């Protein structure tokens, strides 16, 4: 037999090449790149009788990827974010985790699984992907919106709860009545770890990093951060927890430092390289024949992950006082499996807590949820509108007694639909020029901010004709649609033109393909954000060059 080289070199080189090919295909098909990595692993598994890749070597290298991946995820979160998000959101997140675990457990028990594999499946279902969620809002240009902040708060709650669960699972695996005291001890250790993490985050680590900055060495500063990552990972492993948990906690600690953004920028490229070994190794463990034989279980688990969890999160967000449309958006953005889910699944497989068939069921459903999550979120505006119509009173929630403007005195004003990052700046600049403005928004927090600034507001859905009529489109000079979702702007534009065909309507979009659709719906002027940004950059650049006397004549 031909030897292709040292086992480590063979594993690394084939993994990198396969990941490149799989990632390129996924990117071409506009799929999450993780899908490409896992697919590459499945391909390598099929070719492994020829390649003879050492799976133990792959697993060892992938541990570095897991540690760095969870390290960066921790730095993208913050313990203080959860405190700032409010008690109601923390309670909603905790209830979501408990109910998701319960539903996953009951479903798999109904399918004949033993109690502990069913419990693991519930834990896997309960967690969503922080990375995927953030990227979904970034693609929509909606980072910082109420929905994204709520989703981040629930995601933080999930990750913190998993710290306790990861510590409890090894005890539960061999649970007997005699081990109740051991379970209590594990729970106490988990709580102490959380308390210690908060103290380190606010007191010790920031001071240590400030001292490292004084070395004035980029390389040594980076090594300090990485040393903290792997050092804490080894420490938690020695205490009986996973290395991924230690790395996550270190990231969470460093997130409280003013240097966290720089550390993320330095480490992300390294993380991306090592993380591919983790996802490719997951794919190598998938057995297609086992998936085919368990297709019904995969389908039911997928329905629970995507539909069940989305409904559960949306319902809880609505119950704590947020509008249905925002609640549905939050639910759909978290309707997938998270990074910690893969860590739990791999830990359970390595410890033999379930069969390879059960592992393949969980892994396949997880991968498919990542595959469909971006598509589902793209449909969120339509789904949220449809859901709002089903909920009594949601289609027209404008409270007439709270409208701070009188329709009889509204003349020659500007209607601003949406008071987010863009809408608030538009309204402020118009008011600075003595132009009267009326703001329409469905977000209670945005309405409160506008009212605190003395801006007339209407609380309601800008897609509802009844709400738009309260803003007197008949006497307005222009309507500016600042919502990031083009589909919502299209509906609002049609309604406004139905009320006043002569009204000038302006909208914005990040998608060049939506410009023609917006104009067909009645929008007179469409601001394409990327084109306008490019124009400003070019004008400033040329102006700077001309001032220096270059490029003249």
């Amino acid at each position: 037999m031909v030897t292709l080289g040292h086992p480590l070199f063979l594993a690394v080189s084939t993994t990198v090449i396969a990941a490149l090919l799989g990632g390129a295909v996924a990117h071409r098909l506009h799929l999450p790149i993780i899908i490409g990595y896992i697919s590459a692993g499945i391909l390598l598994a099929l070719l492994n009788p020829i390649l003879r890749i050492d799976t133990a070597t792959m697993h060892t290298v992938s541990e570095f990827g897991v540690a760095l991946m969870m390290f960066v995820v921790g730095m993208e979160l913050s313990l203080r974010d959860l405190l700032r998000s409010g008690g109601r959101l923390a309670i909603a997140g905790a209830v979501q985790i408990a109910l998701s675990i319960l539903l996953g457990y009951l479903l798999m028990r109904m399918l004949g699984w033993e109690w502990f594999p069913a419990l693991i499946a519930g834990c896997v279902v309960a967690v969503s992907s922080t990375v995927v969620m953030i990227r979904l809002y970034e693609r929509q240009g909606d980072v910082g919106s109420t929905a994204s902040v709520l989703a981040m708060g629930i995601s933080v709650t999930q990750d913190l709860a998993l710290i306790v669960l990861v510590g409890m699972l090894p005890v539960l695996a061999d649970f007997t009545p005699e081990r109740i005291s051991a379970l209590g001890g594990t729970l106490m250790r988990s709580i102490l770890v959380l308390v210690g993490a908060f103290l380190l985050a606010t007191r010790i680590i920031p001071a240590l990093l400030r001292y490292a900055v004084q070395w004035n060495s980029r390389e040594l500063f980076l090594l300090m951060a990485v040393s903290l990552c792997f050092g804490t990972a080894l420490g938690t492993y020695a205490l009986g927890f996973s290395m991924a948990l230690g790395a996550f906690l270190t990231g969470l600690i460093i997130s409280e430092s003013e240097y966290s953004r720089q550390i993320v920028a330095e480490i992300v490229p390294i993380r991306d390289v090592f993380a591919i070994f983790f996802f490719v190794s997951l794919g190598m463990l998938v057995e297609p024949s086992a998936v085919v034989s368990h297709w019904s279980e995969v389908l039911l688990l997928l329905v629970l992950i995507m539909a069940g969890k989305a409904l559960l999160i949306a319902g809880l967000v609505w119950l704590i006082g947020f509008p249905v449309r925002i609640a549905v958006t939050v639910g759909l953005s978290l309707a997938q499996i998270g990074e910690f889910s893969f860590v739990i699944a791999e830990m359970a497989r390595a410890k033999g807590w379930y069969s390879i068939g059960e592992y393949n069921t969980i892994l396949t459903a997880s991968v498919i949820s990542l595959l469909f999550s971006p598509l589902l979120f793209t449909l969120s505006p339509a789904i949220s509108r449809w859901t709002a119509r089903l909920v009594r009173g949601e289609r027209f929630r404008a409270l007439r007694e709270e409208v701070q403007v009188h329709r009889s005195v509204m003349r020659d004003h500007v209607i601003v639909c949406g008071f987010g990052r863009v809408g608030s700046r538009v309204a402020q600049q118009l008011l600075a020029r003595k132009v009267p403005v009326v703001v329409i928004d469905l977000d209670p927090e945005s309405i409160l901010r506008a009212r605190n600034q003395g801006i007339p507001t209407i609380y309601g859905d800008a897609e509802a004709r009844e709400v738009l009529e309260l803003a007197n489109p008949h006497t307005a000079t222009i309507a500016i649609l600042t919502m990031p979702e083009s589909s919502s702007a299209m509906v609002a534009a049609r309604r406004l033109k139905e009320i006043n065909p002569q009204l000038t309507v302006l909208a914005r979009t990040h998608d060049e393909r939506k410009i023609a659709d917006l104009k067909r719906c009645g929008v007179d002027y469409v601001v394409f954000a990327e084109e306008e940004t490019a124009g400003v950059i070019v004008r400033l650049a040329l102006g700077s060059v001309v001032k220096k006397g270059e490029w003249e004549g």
Side-chain angles (χ1 to χ4, degrees), residues 71 74-81 84 197-213 221 224-225 228 249-264:
F71 179 57
M75 280 196 291
E76 291 174 341
L77 305 178
S78 172
L79 287 172
R80 293 179 178 178
D81 284 345
R84 282 196 294 265
F198 183 75
L199 292 176
L200 287 172
T202 56
R203 304 293 181 186
I204 300 175
I205 296 298
L208 185 60
L209 289 176
R210 281 195 296 269
Y211 178 75
V213 167
F221 182 71
M224 167 69 81
L228 288 171
L249 286 175
T250 307
L252 204 61
I253 291 168
I254 294 179
S255 71
E256 298 301 329
S257 165
E258 62 266 35
Y259 311 110
S260 61
R261 292 302 94 194
Q262 179 61 29
I263 295 174
V264 170

Side-chain angles (χ1 to χ4, degrees), residues 374-416:
L375 174 62
L376 190 62
F377 190 70
T378 301
L379 300 174
S380 62
I383 295 174
S384 60
R385 285 197 302 270
W386 178 78
T387 306
R389 295 190 184 101
L390 296 180
V391 179
R392 183 178 180 182
E394 281 291 332
R395 186 171 184 272
F396 179 45
R397 291 188 60 185
L399 305 179
R400 294 176 183 269
E401 64 274 15
E402 293 187 7
V403 176
Q404 296 182 347
V405 292
H406 300 285
R407 298 182 63 192
S408 59
V409 300
M410 280 193 284
R411 291 287 187 277
D412 301 324
H413 58 288
V414 176
I415 302 172
V416 177

